[in-house]
Amino acid sequence: RPAQLAGIPRWQVRFVETAERIVDGGPQAVRCVRWTPDGHFLTVADGSGRLYAFSPAGRLERTVQAHDFAIHRLAWSPDGRRLASTGKDCTVRWWTRELEPVSTFRQPLRDTLGAAWDPATNRLATSDSGGRVAVWDADGKPLGEVQGNPWLWALAWSPDGKWLVCDDGIWDAEL
């Protein structure tokens, strides 16, 4: 492990080492990390379904058993009020900023893989192992879905919210 990465201050490297010690199993157990949009918390997801919230100084603020199995992706809403997590337990879960559960959506027999918030309209896109991409409004109401190839992991919205890109193609947001 490098002691210093080019352009990254030493305190950030120490923070990662601290997080690895707290998250059971070390660095291989960390599945996803995401900062809140305002930078006040770093959220870490692990292979056992736990979420960890760290302060920018590296202090563990909260731990939550969020999923029954591994968490695949985390995505903060643009306003930083909601966190979406996807997991091997076939669920999409929504959380408050304080990591309190809001709602759970189950995908029958499919690992939920990707998650991305639309920066323009606060919609959430999720993907699953069967190739389904679903779009939800900010309250969790389904807005539409498209079918792609299996095992879609990567999702990204265009800055204006008009296009949704995944590792299988590009769709206009009029799903």
Side-chain angles (χ1 to χ4, degrees), residues 116-155:
W117 285 94
D118 174 355
T121 64
N122 255 348
R123 294 174 293 180
L124 176 71
T126 60
S127 61
D128 69 28
S129 59
R132 178 178 166 263
V133 175
V135 177
W136 317 79
D137 72 9
D139 296 317
K141 177 184 163 202
L143 297 176
E145 62 182 66
V146 293
Q147 185 63 43
N149 288 321
W151 299 99
L152 299 176
W153 286 89
L155 294 171

Side-chain angles (χ1 to χ4, degrees), residues 16-33:
V16 170
E17 291 167 352
T18 300
E20 288 174 353
R21 280 194 303 276
I22 292 171
V23 177
D24 292 341
Q28 70 275 15
V30 174
R31 294 295 184 104
C32 188
V33 295

Side-chain angles (χ1 to χ4, degrees), residues 46-70:
D46 77 8
S48 68
R50 285 188 297 266
L51 285 175
Y52 305 84
F54 291 93
S55 72
R59 185 178 61 250
L60 179 63
E61 300 288 336
R62 179 110 197 244
T63 302
V64 175
Q65 184 64 47
H67 287 259
D68 297 332
F69 302 105

Side-chain angles (χ1 to χ4, degrees), residues 48-175:
S48 68
R50 285 188 297 266
L51 285 175
Y52 305 84
F54 291 93
S55 72
R59 185 178 61 250
L60 179 63
E61 300 288 336
R62 179 110 197 244
T63 302
V64 175
Q65 184 64 47
H67 287 259
D68 297 332
F69 302 105
I71 297 172
H72 292 306
R73 291 289 185 271
L74 299 173
W76 281 99
S77 63
D79 62 10
R81 292 178 31 211
R82 289 173 306 282
L83 174 70
S85 60
T86 65
K88 187 169 181 59
D89 60 1
C90 305
T91 62
V92 178
R93 298 180 189 242
W94 293 37
W95 306 89
T96 65
R97 181 179 177 86
E98 295 76 26
L99 298 185
E100 295 293 333
V102 174
S103 53
T104 299
F105 306 98
R106 193 160 297 283
Q107 308 294 322
L109 306 174
R110 304 279 189 214
D111 283 11
T112 54
L113 304 175
W117 285 94
D118 174 355
T121 64
N122 255 348
R123 294 174 293 180
L124 176 71
T126 60
S127 61
D128 69 28
S129 59
R132 178 178 166 263
V133 175
V135 177
W136 317 79
D137 72 9
D139 296 317
K141 177 184 163 202
L143 297 176
E145 62 182 66
V146 293
Q147 185 63 43
N149 288 321
W151 299 99
L152 299 176
W153 286 89
L155 294 171
W157 289 93
S158 62
D160 61 6
K162 292 183 179 177
W163 299 97
L164 178 60
V165 180
C166 75
D167 43 354
D168 188 44
I170 299 175
W171 293 290
D172 67 40
E174 302 296 321
L175 301 174

